[in-house]
Amino acid sequence: DVPAYNWWNESLHGVARAGRATVFPETIGMAATWDTDLIHRVASTISDEARAKYNEFVRKDKRAIYEGLTFWTPNINLFRDPRWGRGMETYGEDPFLTGKMGVAFIQGMQGDDPTYLKTVATAKHFAVHSGPEPLRHTFDAVVDEQELQESYLPHFEMAIKEGGAYSVMCAYNRVDGKAACASPKLLQETLRKEWGFQGYVVSDCGAVGDVYKNHKVEPDAPHGVAATLKTGTDLNCGTEYTHLLEASKQGLVSQADIDTALRRLLMARFKLGLFDPPEMVKYARIPYSENDSPAHRQLALETARKAIVLLKNENHTLPLSKSLKTIAIIGPNADDVDSLVGNYNGDPSDPITPRRGIYEKLPAGAKLIYARGSNFADQMPN
């Protein structure tokens, strides 16, 4: 009688891929606030909406992808090369700022109850994962020990020791020749022995298959899944762990290896209160009306304002004069909701593009002229 459960959910800057939700600024924008208290409030609000949605899903007996309480966020990789396509998901280039922001976000997501987790936050992608994006399934990140300890591990250590993250996602790439999802140094020595991590490890989607298909550090599927499971990757995003039966028959994994992973995963569901009566879990009583509430939208506005960074104001052009009669706004992002909401996003109830926002602020009788100006990039009109 264990209910079905799908582990994949997203909440990078608001509950994602599950319909209407409060959408906060992208993570790189929130990092620009330098305000950990604000980030904690944002994450607490996101987790309120996450519980509100989950409670409603359960009432309707819906248990599919993006309907659970285990969120694969925050992305705390370092953003040190602007060519990396996922930099906007991160808190920037500095391990200390990234760590502090990550801790605040994790604590807001997981709540303050002494018994139950509000949601599970997942620190990702462990480790040394910051591009190049097209090569992520084959790339070997070779770093010396000093760089590993000073740059690529401190924020993950903070996420575990200070933030209490109950989940970690291992990365696609190799680190010094070892696939990240089958690295004894990362998953056993560092994560569990040195940092005392008690939660579970989930693979990035398809990363278990990369071990034997792309990195080729194992000869075939049974050996690949055996290596990742025994090293400490408890949960597989993908279908590769269907090969565990074959690996077991070949003597590559034991029942005890499988039980270890299963115990960690079930413990997470126990800590979320999923097997207890709702009246025992305060988070199970959060109503659906919390989703995209006026107070939450006001917090999103506050966060957006604090995220704004003025890089240059030549000739004191800003603020614009309220006596302007005509203003032109030019550019492909000026009236595009998709670019406004970013990625891993929910659906905002009332998105305000720059074109609309400026228009609504113009004095009576003023004229706004809009032109797309250019495509986003060559061969990319949309």
Side-chain angles (χ1 to χ4, degrees), residues 24-40:
F24 292 89
E26 276 277 24
T27 312
I28 195 70
M30 289 194 285
T33 69
W34 293 73
D35 190 337
T36 53
D37 291 335
L38 175 66
I39 300 309
H40 185 272

Side-chain angles (χ1 to χ4, degrees), residues 49-331:
E49 297 195 4
R51 272 285 180 170
K53 284 177 176 288
Y54 175 77
N55 296 340
E56 186 69 11
F57 286 137
V58 168
R59 279 191 285 271
K60 297 177 179 178
D61 197 30
K62 298 179 68 176
R63 304 175 188 275
I65 190 171
Y66 309 135
E67 294 177 351
L69 289 172
T70 44
F71 289 88
W72 295 353
T73 191
N75 182 343
I76 57 172
N77 293 131
L78 300 182
F79 183 27
R80 290 182 169 176
D81 189 325
R83 295 171 297 181
W84 183 37
R86 299 184 68 174
M88 67 285 191
E89 299 177 23
T90 76
Y91 296 104
E93 74 276 14
D94 183 74
F96 183 77
L97 177 63
T98 295
K100 288 299 184 185
M101 289 288 184
V103 166
F105 193 93
I106 290 163
Q107 290 178 338
M109 286 295 295
Q110 296 194 161
D112 57 3
D113 190 273
T115 303
Y116 296 106
L117 291 170
K118 193 177 186 184
T119 69
V120 168
T122 302
K124 67 182 187 183
H125 309 80
F126 191 59
V128 202
H129 180 82
S130 301
E133 195 73 1
L135 303 179
R136 59 185 178 169
H137 297 284
T138 58
F139 185 66
D140 185 12
V142 179
V143 292
D144 61 37
E145 189 64 22
Q146 180 174 346
E147 188 175 19
L148 184 67
Q149 296 295 334
E150 291 182 354
S151 288
Y152 293 104
L153 294 185
H155 42 297
F156 279 99
E157 183 175 8
M158 293 164 70
I160 302 305
K161 290 185 175 180
E162 296 180 37
Y166 203 73
S167 175
V168 169
M169 177 178 282
C170 53
Y172 286 121
N173 52 279
R174 279 171 286 154
V175 180
D176 292 331
K178 297 286 187 180
C181 289
S183 169
K185 178 174 182 177
L186 289 177
L187 300 185
Q188 295 176 348
E189 297 172 21
T190 302
L191 187 61
R192 294 204 180 272
K193 292 182 181 178
E194 292 183 24
W195 298 347
F197 178 64
Q198 297 296 311
Y200 65 90
V201 174
V202 57
S203 75
D204 206 339
C205 297
V208 170
D210 286 340
V211 172
Y212 53 91
K213 293 178 183 177
N214 297 314
H215 298 307
K216 301 185 186 301
V217 293
E218 296 293 341
D220 54 29
H223 285 82
V225 299
T228 53
L229 183 79
K230 293 176 73 170
T231 306
T233 299
D234 306 294
L235 180 64
N236 166 217
C237 177
T239 60
E240 291 87 353
Y241 272 8
T242 56
H243 294 286
L244 279 173
L245 181 59
E246 187 179 353
S248 177
K249 290 178 179 178
Q250 293 183 25
L252 301 174
V253 294
S254 67
Q255 185 67 49
D257 296 325
I258 296 171
D259 285 347
T260 295
L262 183 60
R263 186 177 297 110
R264 290 169 180 162
L265 295 173
L266 283 172
M267 183 60 74
R269 294 181 67 179
F270 289 140
K271 285 182 173 291
L272 288 165
L274 303 191
F275 299 109
D276 291 337
E279 55 269 20
M280 291 179 60
V281 187
K282 67 178 183 180
Y283 304 126
R285 299 190 292 273
I286 296 176
Y288 190 73
S289 59
E290 284 293 300
N291 186 56
D292 194 33
S293 68
H296 292 180
R297 292 197 295 270
Q298 186 62 35
L299 179 60
L301 177 60
E302 176 189 345
T303 308
R305 286 171 171 160
K306 290 183 176 179
I308 292 171
V309 177
L310 180 62
L311 298 179
K312 189 181 292 186
N313 192 18
E314 292 180 342
N315 303 318
H316 302 288
T317 303
L318 298 177
L320 296 176
S321 170
K322 293 185 181 298
S323 63
L324 285 173
K325 300 300 182 184
T326 305
I327 186 168
I329 178 167
I330 303 166

